[in-house]
Amino acid sequence: NILIIYDSLYGNTEKIAQQMAEALKEEQARIITVKLAAVRDFFSVELLIAGTPTHGGQPSKGMKDFISRLPAGILNNIKAAAFDTSIPLEGQKGFKRFIIKFVGYAAKRLGNALKKNGATLIAAETFFVLDKEGPLKEGELQRSGLWAKELLKM
């Protein structure tokens, strides 16, 4: 039983999550936005894939708030993977490059939050957008589907 939960502000993280759900359709992966997610969605989940846009190196406020409201132990015995969408360091200059290098990406922080709630973190990945509001960098949709399938082997 696979659950993909995501938050998206400009639609890029949602596109990545939908691509993962499509790649995992044979496994009947369920997909839900963090705004509609509830505790009952986690019952019988074996693999949780959580995604967020990166904001100042952090997961979105919506994702952080949701995770903070999860009951203790609800993620015990669940494998988890975290992903984010963000601007790549490559090609950035000046202050923007400095900020990205200094604060990093949200996937690892999201993964750590899932671990603190009992999940076993198996992967964290960043998918790139070309600017704050997108679009996604060429090839990222395909890469996200392949990544999701790889999670089944972990």
Side-chain angles (χ1 to χ4, degrees):
N1 195 355
I2 301 169
L3 175 63
I4 301 168
I5 185 169
Y6 69 92
D7 193 19
S8 191
L9 297 178
Y10 302 112
N12 299 298
T13 309
E14 179 178 20
K15 288 176 185 173
I16 294 289
Q18 288 173 340
Q19 182 68 31
M20 290 178 186
E22 178 64 24
L24 299 173
K25 68 181 176 188
E26 290 179 15
E27 286 76 22
Q28 297 179 348
R30 294 177 294 132
I31 182 172
I32 190 165
T33 177
V34 73
K35 293 171 186 155
L36 299 177
V39 170
R40 69 180 175 276
D41 294 315
F42 290 87
F43 297 148
S44 76
V45 169
E46 295 170 16
L47 174 61
L48 171 65
I49 304 172
T52 181
T54 296
H55 288 273
Q58 298 289 324
S60 67
K61 182 179 180 335
M63 184 60 77
K64 287 194 288 188
D65 288 349
F66 178 75
I67 289 175
S68 72
R69 291 190 312 268
L70 288 175
I74 194 154
L75 300 182
N76 289 350
N77 302 314
I78 294 177
K79 289 182 186 179
F83 73 93
D84 67 10
T85 52
S86 191
I87 298 169
L89 178 63
E90 180 183 293
Q92 303 304 317
K93 295 180 178 148
F95 187 69
K96 196 181 245 185
R97 181 175 180 81
F98 170 78
I99 291 296
I100 293 170
K101 282 183 89 169
F102 184 72
V103 300
Y105 299 116
K108 287 182 183 177
R109 289 179 178 94
L110 177 55
N112 287 335
L114 296 171
K115 275 174 48 176
K116 284 181 183 176
N117 278 283
T120 300
L121 185 65
I122 60 171
E125 188 66 36
T126 297
F127 297 96
F128 296 110
V129 295
L130 298 179
D131 201 355
K132 179 181 175 183
E133 295 184 22
L136 287 163
K137 183 177 174 186
E138 186 175 330
E140 291 300 85
L141 280 178
Q142 296 82 355
R143 187 168 76 86
S144 68
L146 294 172
W147 183 75
K149 286 183 179 182
E150 285 297 313
L151 296 175
L152 299 178
K153 300 175 186 175
M154 296 181 184

